[in-house]
Structure formats: C-alpha cells, structure tokens
C-alpha cells in the first residue's frame, strides 16, 4: 500500500481529517492569525500612535522601520523551523501564544514606554515592539502562510482557500478595528488577543501526528538536512524567485506608502473628503471580487503553470503603474476645471492594483510548492521571497521616495512601469533557463538509470 493510499485509509478511520474538514480548520487558523496581523499592521495602528501617543511622522516611521529590520532576521530561521517540524503545530502554536499578549503588551509595556518622552525609552519600545511585531506578525504571517499551504496540500486541498481565508480576516478585522477605535482605542489590541485564543483552540483540533510517517505532496519521512540548503541555493528556480522578489516586488511595494496620497491628489481640494468615502464604497465590490477570484485561482495557476503566472502577475503590476502614470500625465496637461478624465484613470489604475496585489503571496506559494523539494519549501518561501523582498525593500523605499520628490508623480510611475517591464523580459529568460536546466537534469538522471540497469 502506498502512502497516498494510507492517507485515504487514515481519513476513513478518522486518524486524519477528510479534505473538507481539514480545509475548514486550516482556513480558520489563517483567518484568526490574519485578524491578529490586521490589528498590528493596519492604518488604525498608525492613527493610534499619532492621536493617542502623540508621535510625529518621523517617530512613527522610525518605529515602523525598527519592526521590519528585526523581522528580516526571523524569516530564514522560521523557514528552517517549519521545514524541520513540517505539519507539527509547535512552532505555529508559539505565534498564537505570543499573540495572546497583544492587549497587555501594548497597554502596559509599549504605550507607557512611548509616553515617557525619553529617547532611550522610545528606542527601547521600538526594539521590544520590533521583536514582538517581527515574531508574531511580519515574519509570523509568512510562516503561517507556508504552514497552512503545506497542511492543505497534504490533505488534498488547494492553496487558494488559504488565500481567500487570510484576505477575509483582514477585511473583517479592518472593519471591526474602525468601529472599536471610536469607542476605546485599546480594544483593538485586546481583540487581537481574543483572535489568538481562537487560533490556539483551532490548532489543537488539527490531526497531524500520522503525517510524521507519511510521504505526501508537502511532507516527507526524511528530515531536512543542511545538504538540502545546498540544493536550494544551486536550484535555478531559486534565482527566479529571488530576482522577482528583489526587483519587481520591491518596485511595487516601495510606492505603496505614497499611492493613497497620490490618488487623493486627483480630487479637487473641496471634494477630497468625498473622495475618501468613494474609495471606501468602491472597495466593497472590488474586495468581493478579490475574495471570489482567490477562492478558485489555484485551478487557473495550475492550468497556466506557476512560472507563467508570475510573469502574468508582473505584467499586471506594470500595467497598473502605467495607468497611474497616465493619470498623472492627464492631470498635468489638462485644464484645472477638467479633472474628470485623470480622476477616472487614477481610480481604474488604483483599483486594478488593489485587485492584483492579494494574489502575490498565493502565486509565490504555488511556485515554491511545485519548484522545490518539499523538505525545503518553507525555507524557499520565507528566504527566497519574503527575506529578499524585505532586504532590498529598505533601499527601494528610499529610492522611490526620492524619485517622487525629484521627478514628480507621473514620471516616476512611468519609470517604475518600464522598469518592471524590463524585469519581466529578464524573468522570462530566467524561467526558460530554469526549465531547460530541469530538462537536462531529468535527462541525465534517466540516461544514468538506463546505463545502470
């Protein structure tokens, strides 16, 4: 009996959950963790630092930078731990346990340190916040994505359900945070603690012990070793991942801190409040469309194949940034009273960008799962995508910010779009090289096997 037959037998016996039950459970895990992440990474958190702690924009930027810097160094470690533990819940459980401390940490440690007015205490708060943020949220989110993707594939499901559940967690918590902030600004942090309780309870329902002795799509009887890292580094597909992360994704994410302010710029000054409301209203059908598309996107990725989907995703990013550039060009070259064409162009381009962005994590996870040895997949995901993206992102944010300042909105978006398009051409070459390398390796192995027999 093969291991795959054993899985079916164990599911019938109840030792392993059936696909539908396993899908529901793991979607709840990523939903609740996304709720925790939404609290600690939302715009409401920045508003809390401004209105309740009374920090200036520079101080808020410093705090945000500290948490990202610390998180970078967690990611390689988290990838290795996930590959060592596979479907065992211990490591992911630690994220939930630390998430429990969200409310008390921010009320009794973080907030008092920031409100002392002392520079030493400020940076101590930033360091402690970075350690906490990095573990539970920034690096932790990538780790939960990787674990949930591995879990659902091992049970015969597809990663798109994980993507849609995580996206829904952000939407639900974003709405709840806005409502709670108007009542009590601290309640959002305690809501994150409650989400952590739900996450922990769900984790304890997962039936994963049997997978320690089974080979599946994402689990292996053989444990990960240091030699597997050599395989990862020498695999040309790793460089496809690294190139995409260090160029295209950095260019896209670097402009995100500015794009909300940019789209508001197209509204006349006396209509900008209406513009904010309009953005919230139009976001409802867009988010519904994203949720539905995420729920069934694995079929499309499988049919197109993961490498081509990365190229398509990159082209969509290039088109969306080109649209933002065209909107700026129209705004500059048309009469001030005739603002409607540029406004419509900016809305379409921005909403297209919002539509494309949620698919990035899912596409990367799908690419990793089909491109790398299952023993080292989490390391490939957290290092090849998240770690490299964060590492190059620090420089990318500074460069793009200076481009906006010196060259203006429209020219910067035109150049970013052109940069991504050039990177797509290089990416096509890298993908073709990786595919040809795989064919040569398979052919060599086949010939060697024939000679031995």
């Amino acid at each position: 009996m093969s291991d795959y037959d054993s899985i079916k037998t164990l599911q019938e016996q109840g030792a392993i959950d059936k696909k539908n039950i396993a899908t529901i459970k793991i979607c709840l895990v990523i939903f609740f963790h996304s709720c925790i992440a939404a609290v600690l990474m939302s715009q409401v958190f920045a508003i809390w630092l401004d209105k309740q702690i009374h920090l200036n924009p520079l101080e808020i930027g410093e705090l945000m930078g500290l948490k990202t810097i610390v998180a970078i160094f967690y990611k390689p470690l988290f990838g290795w731990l996930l590959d060592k533990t596979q479907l065992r819940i211990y490591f992911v459980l630690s994220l939930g346990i630390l998430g429990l401390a969200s409310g008390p940490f921010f009320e009794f440690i973080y907030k008092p340190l920031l409100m002392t007015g002392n520079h030493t205490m400020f940076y101590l708060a930033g360091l402690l916040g970075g350690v906490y943020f990095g573990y539970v949220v920034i690096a932790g989110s990538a780790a939960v994505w990787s674990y949930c993707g591995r879990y659902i594939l091992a049970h015969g499901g597809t990663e798109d359900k994980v993507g849609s559940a995580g996206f829904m967690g952000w939407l639900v918590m974003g709405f709840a945070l806005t409502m709670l902030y108007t009542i009590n600004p601290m309640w959002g942090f305690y809501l994150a603690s409650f989400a952590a309780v739900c996450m922990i309870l769900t984790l304890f329902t997962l039936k994963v012990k049997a997978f320690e002795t089974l080979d599946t799509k994402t689990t292996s009887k053989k444990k990960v070793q240091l030699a597997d890292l050599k395989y990862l580094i020498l695999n040309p597909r790793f460089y496809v991942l690294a190139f995409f992360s260090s160029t295209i994704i950095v260019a896209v994410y670097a402009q995100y801190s500015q794009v909300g302010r940019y789209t508001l710029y197209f509204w006349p000054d006396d209509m900008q409040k209406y513009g904010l409301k309009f953005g919230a209203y139009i976001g409802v059908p867009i988010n519904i469309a994203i949720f539905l598309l995420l729920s069934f996107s694995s079929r499309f990725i499988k049919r197109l194949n993961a490498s081509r989907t990365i190229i398509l995703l990159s082209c969509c990013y290039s088109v969306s940034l080109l649209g933002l550039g065209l909107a700026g060009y129209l705004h500059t070259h048309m009469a001030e009273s005739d603002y409607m064409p540029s406004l419509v162009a900016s809305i379409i381009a921005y909403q297209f960008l919002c539509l494309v962005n949620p698919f990035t994590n899912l596409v990367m996870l799908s690419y990793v799962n089909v491109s790398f040895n299952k023993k080292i997949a989490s390391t490939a995901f957290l290092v090849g995508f998240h770690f490299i993206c964060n590492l190059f992102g620090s420089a990318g944010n500074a460069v793009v910010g200076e481009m906006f300042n010196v060259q203006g909105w429209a020219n910067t978006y035109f150049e970013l779009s052109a940069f991504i398009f050039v990177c797509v051409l290089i990416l096509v070459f890298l993908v073709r090289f990786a595919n040809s390398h795989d064919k040569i390796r398979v052919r060599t192995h086949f010939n060697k096997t024939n000679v031995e027999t």
Side-chain angles (χ1 to χ4, degrees):
M1 179 184 291
S2 70
D3 284 339
Y4 293 97
D5 292 330
S6 298
I7 290 173
K8 294 179 181 179
T9 302
L10 290 169
Q11 286 177 326
E12 292 172 357
Q13 295 173 349
I16 295 175
D17 286 321
K18 294 183 179 180
K19 183 176 75 172
N20 291 341
I21 300 298
T23 299
I24 292 171
K25 286 182 178 181
I26 207 62
C27 284
L28 286 173
V29 169
I30 197 166
F31 173 85
F32 290 128
H33 188 270
S34 296
C35 288
I36 301 171
V39 172
L40 305 184
M41 294 179 69
S42 68
Q43 293 181 351
V44 174
F45 178 67
I47 294 171
W48 179 76
L49 291 174
D50 177 16
K51 303 299 183 184
Q52 305 300 318
I53 311 299
H54 308 295
L55 301 182
N56 60 47
L58 175 60
E59 290 171 328
I60 293 174
E62 288 177 340
L63 289 178
M64 298 299 184
L66 280 170
K67 69 179 184 181
T68 303
I69 290 171
V70 175
I72 288 176
F73 299 100
Y74 281 130
K75 291 183 178 181
L77 173 63
F78 284 9
W80 180 255
L81 287 173
L82 283 169
D83 286 324
K84 290 286 285 185
T85 57
Q86 299 195 57
L87 290 186
R88 284 171 284 181
I89 68 171
Y90 309 126
F91 171 66
V92 181
L93 184 62
S94 72
L95 301 174
I97 292 172
L98 283 176
L100 286 172
S102 175
F105 174 79
F106 284 98
E107 182 167 14
F108 301 113
I109 298 176
Y110 197 67
K111 181 179 178 180
L113 286 174
L114 290 175
M115 296 191 74
T116 59
N118 183 289
H119 286 291
T120 302
M121 294 297 101
F122 173 84
Y123 287 110
L124 176 60
L127 179 61
L128 291 175
V131 171
Y132 185 77
F133 270 118
Y135 195 100
V136 178
V137 176
I138 303 177
S141 292
V144 171
W145 260 87
S146 183
Y147 178 86
C148 292
R150 178 177 291 206
Y151 179 94
I152 201 168
L153 286 176
H155 286 81
T158 53
E159 303 106 318
D160 50 13
K161 304 301 184 293
V162 172
S164 56
F167 180 74
M168 185 55 65
W170 277 88
L171 288 183
V172 170
M173 190 57 80
F175 176 79
L177 277 178
T178 304
M179 298 298 104
L180 287 174
Y181 185 83
T182 60
I183 303 171
N184 186 321
M186 289 303 304
W187 283 6
F189 298 117
Y190 283 96
L191 186 58
S193 296
F194 176 73
V197 172
C198 297
M199 176 183 171
I200 291 169
L201 293 176
T202 307
L203 282 170
F204 278 124
T205 69
L206 303 186
K207 300 176 181 179
V208 294
K209 187 173 179 57
F211 284 99
E212 295 179 19
T213 58
L214 294 175
D215 276 319
T216 70
K217 289 182 178 180
T218 55
T219 62
S220 174
K221 296 177 185 177
K222 298 178 181 178
K223 305 305 178 184
V224 64
Q225 299 174 346
L226 287 175
D228 293 313
L229 289 175
K230 179 181 178 181
Y231 162 80
L232 176 66
I233 298 300
L234 295 178
N235 190 337
R237 293 188 180 275
F238 179 79
Y239 297 100
V240 173
L241 192 64
F243 179 78
F244 174 79
S245 304
S246 61
T247 56
I248 295 170
I249 291 300
V250 166
V252 172
Y253 286 179
Q255 57 81 46
Y256 255 107
S257 61
Q258 306 278 1
V259 70
R261 184 163 65 94
Y262 175 54
T263 53
L264 200 60
Y265 150 82
F266 292 93
W267 293 84
D269 292 341
D270 59 343
M271 295 182 65
Q272 290 191 354
K273 289 185 178 179
Y274 175 77
L276 289 172
K277 292 180 180 179
F278 179 81
Y281 295 147
I282 199 173
V284 173
I286 295 296
N287 287 330
I288 293 173
I290 292 170
F291 176 77
L292 293 175
L293 290 172
L294 279 170
S295 300
F296 302 99
S297 55
S298 283
R299 298 176 187 175
F300 175 79
I301 295 172
K302 185 177 181 180
R303 182 174 298 179
L304 188 63
N305 86 40
S307 298
R308 291 175 183 170
T309 308
I310 292 178
I311 294 169
L312 176 61
L313 180 74
S314 303
C315 291
C316 288
Y317 273 134
S318 180
V319 170
S320 62
L321 298 191
L322 176 62
L324 289 169
L326 287 172
Y329 179 84
L330 288 172
H331 188 80
T332 303
H333 291 81
M334 297 187 74
E336 186 175 344
S337 59
D338 193 14
Y339 65 89
M340 192 56 69
S342 61
L343 176 61
V344 172
S346 70
I347 291 171
I348 293 173
Y350 177 65
Q351 294 303 325
F352 184 60
L353 179 63
C354 292
L355 183 67
V356 173
N357 184 55
F359 291 88
T360 305
N361 253 323
L362 178 60
V363 171
M364 291 297 96
L365 190 61
S366 299
Y367 178 79
V368 164
N369 285 333
V370 300
S371 300
F372 300 99
N373 188 309
K374 56 192 174 184
K375 292 195 296 178
I376 205 74
S378 292
T379 302
F381 183 64
L382 270 81
V383 175
F385 177 43
H386 285 280
F387 175 79
I388 290 177
C389 179
N390 287 151
L391 189 64
F392 284 84
S394 300
N397 284 325
V399 171
V400 172
E402 184 65 15
M403 288 171 66
F404 280 130
N405 187 45
V406 174
Q407 299 178 150
W409 297 107
N411 289 335
T412 299
Y413 274 111
F414 281 141
E415 291 176 14
L416 288 175
S417 177
F419 171 76
I420 292 175
F421 181 74
V422 171
C423 289
V424 168
L425 298 179
I426 299 173
L427 192 65
V428 170
F429 170 78
L430 290 175
V431 168
R432 290 176 65 88
F433 173 75
N435 290 341
S436 63
H437 179 271
D438 283 349
K439 290 179 182 178
I440 292 172
R441 182 171 55 83
V442 171
R443 191 181 301 117
T444 302
H445 176 74
F446 179 75
N447 292 337
K448 183 179 179 181
T449 303
N450 285 341
V451 169
E452 289 175 354
T453 54

